[in-house]
Amino acid sequence: MKNLFLFVLLITASSAFAQSFEMYKGDTVNRKDAQDQRQGHWVVLNKNNSNPGYSEGQLVEEGEYFNNKKVGVWRKYYPNNKLKGEITFANNKPNGPAKFYYENGRLQEEGNWKEKNWIGVYKYYHENGILFYDWQFNSEGKREGQQKYYYANGNPMYEGDWRDGKESGVLKEYYENGSLKAEKYFNEGKIDPGNTKNYDLGNPVDRPKAPVGPMLVEAKKEEPPKELGFIPDGQFTTYHKGDKNKVEKEGTFKNKVLIEGKQNVYDASGKLIKTLYIKGGKVVETKMANTGTK
């Protein structure tokens, strides 16, 4: 009877082990349940050079699954093993705090990400660690309220208010030494040249001066952005040769590149030739101005 009991016990243990092996697919980290759904901690390794720049078997990202959906904080790494980003997921969608880092380990940007947009307070940093953008987004992902830009030495570059993603009221622009460069009045994103005041670069004592920020030895010297060449991330509009009556690009920009929106193409005389529709940074549709055909 004792031997029979041991035999039954061994059979039961073997069966349980087999079920356990099937449940975890032979992996104690990347686990799947009996319904083949991912559960618990999961790691993504570079296999068969699926991630260029990473060595074979190197950790690329990691996070948690619940019923086959990403939850909690997921972390991604650079090929040098330093942290690249942290994104909070809820029900398999980005929803919550997010941070991204430079390869040198310093924080690049941070805020709250909801599916496809930043919402609330958003900050972007120069590579030397000094704050670059200090923005506010509304619940729809459009810039709202006071927005600020800073040079790499910590001094202010731009400051003003935005409404529904567009400049509104007086926008102040500063020289890199902190002295006031211009005051520009905007109405729903359009500048009023008649209410623009420009100031020559001179002794900062001669005009209002913004507070001087911290100076870092390794801070990079950055030229003030050109009025027509400076394109911030987010919703923005550019104009053909500065003519406010001729829109050239409008939509969502990232690193000065139009990611989603449309681009009008003009000939040498300024006549509209065609309109390109952009999605995901690529042209998905073209319409000729004279015929309206693709």
Side-chain angles (χ1 to χ4, degrees), residues 46-66:
N46 182 45
K47 295 183 179 179
N48 301 320
N49 294 320
S50 56
N51 295 276
Y54 294 82
S55 59
E56 182 69 16
Q58 185 178 0
L59 177 63
V60 177
E61 63 177 318
E62 62 181 336
E64 302 289 324
Y65 274 105
F66 178 71

Side-chain angles (χ1 to χ4, degrees), residues 49 92 139 155 170 195 210 263 271:
N49 294 320
N92 213 43
S139 59
N155 284 339
V170 177
N195 283 329
Q263 176 181 353
K271 183 179 179 181

Side-chain angles (χ1 to χ4, degrees), residues 182-213:
E183 293 178 293
K184 304 173 182 179
Y185 184 81
F186 284 83
N187 184 15
E188 293 187 352
K190 296 182 179 180
I191 192 171
D192 180 359
N195 283 329
T196 295
K197 298 178 182 179
N198 295 297
Y199 303 94
D200 293 331
L201 179 61
N203 189 338
V205 178
D206 296 336
R207 61 181 59 84
K209 181 179 179 182
V212 177

Side-chain angles (χ1 to χ4, degrees), residues 4-289:
L4 179 61
F5 175 77
L6 289 175
F7 179 76
V8 172
L9 184 63
L10 286 172
I11 292 294
T12 303
S14 298
S15 176
F17 176 79
Q19 290 176 2
S20 176
F21 185 83
E22 177 64 23
M23 177 179 293
Y24 300 132
K25 303 298 184 184
D27 194 329
T28 59
V29 178
N30 292 1
R31 299 174 296 173
K32 288 186 177 181
D33 61 19
Q35 285 71 45
D36 203 38
Q37 291 190 326
R38 297 178 182 183
Q39 305 284 2
H41 192 69
W42 202 271
V43 298
V44 178
L45 305 178
N46 182 45
K47 295 183 179 179
N48 301 320
N49 294 320
S50 56
N51 295 276
Y54 294 82
S55 59
E56 182 69 16
Q58 185 178 0
L59 177 63
V60 177
E61 63 177 318
E62 62 181 336
E64 302 289 324
Y65 274 105
F66 178 71
N67 291 341
N68 222 38
K69 295 179 180 180
K70 289 183 176 181
V71 294
V73 178
W74 274 73
R75 295 178 174 88
K76 192 166 186 177
Y77 300 88
Y78 283 108
N80 65 3
N81 296 320
K82 287 190 175 181
L83 188 60
K84 184 176 184 179
E86 298 174 297
I87 300 178
T88 304
F89 283 83
N91 200 30
N92 213 43
K93 295 181 179 180
N95 193 342
K99 292 183 178 181
F100 299 93
Y101 300 85
Y102 290 104
E103 283 194 72
N104 63 13
R106 283 180 172 160
L107 184 62
Q108 183 178 33
E109 56 185 325
E110 63 178 337
N112 283 284
W113 187 262
K114 187 173 182 180
E115 296 188 12
K116 296 182 179 180
N117 299 304
W118 292 105
I119 59 172
V121 177
Y122 167 82
K123 296 180 185 293
Y124 189 98
Y125 299 85
H126 291 281
E127 199 165 353
N128 63 12
I130 293 294
L131 184 62
F132 193 170
Y133 305 157
D134 187 1
W135 293 353
Q136 299 274 346
F137 287 89
N138 62 22
S139 59
E140 297 178 351
K142 295 182 179 181
R143 286 204 275 166
E144 192 81 27
Q146 190 173 55
Q147 317 287 316
K148 296 180 179 180
Y149 301 73
Y150 296 89
Y151 290 102
N153 64 8
N155 284 339
M157 181 187 295
Y158 288 97
E159 61 181 5
D161 287 325
W162 263 248
R163 291 182 183 176
D164 199 31
K166 299 176 182 179
E167 301 96 324
S168 178
V170 177
L171 175 68
K172 292 183 178 180
E173 182 180 356
Y174 296 90
Y175 289 103
E176 194 171 0
N177 71 351
S179 60
L180 188 61
K181 181 178 181 180
E183 293 178 293
K184 304 173 182 179
Y185 184 81
F186 284 83
N187 184 15
E188 293 187 352
K190 296 182 179 180
I191 192 171
D192 180 359
N195 283 329
T196 295
K197 298 178 182 179
N198 295 297
Y199 303 94
D200 293 331
L201 179 61
N203 189 338
V205 178
D206 296 336
R207 61 181 59 84
K209 181 179 179 182
V212 177
M215 300 288 290
L216 293 185
V217 175
E218 71 271 28
K220 296 180 181 179
K221 179 178 176 58
E222 300 204 9
E223 296 295 328
K226 303 296 186 296
E227 180 181 345
L228 297 178
F230 180 60
I231 301 176
D233 288 351
Q235 195 74 19
F236 196 71
T237 302
T238 64
Y239 300 89
H240 179 63
K241 294 182 179 180
D243 186 346
K244 291 294 184 178
N245 294 317
K246 295 181 179 179
V247 172
E248 186 170 59
K249 297 179 181 179
E250 63 177 342
T252 303
F253 288 80
K254 179 70 174 178
N255 295 329
K256 298 184 179 180
V257 176
L258 182 61
I259 302 299
E260 190 158 352
K262 66 179 182 179
Q263 176 181 353
N264 293 321
V265 179
Y266 301 87
D267 61 18
S269 66
K271 183 179 179 181
L272 180 64
I273 302 174
K274 58 185 176 182
T275 299
L276 309 177
Y277 292 86
I278 314 293
K279 199 166 187 178
K282 298 180 180 180
V283 177
V284 296
E285 185 179 353
T286 301
K287 288 188 178 181
M288 306 306 295

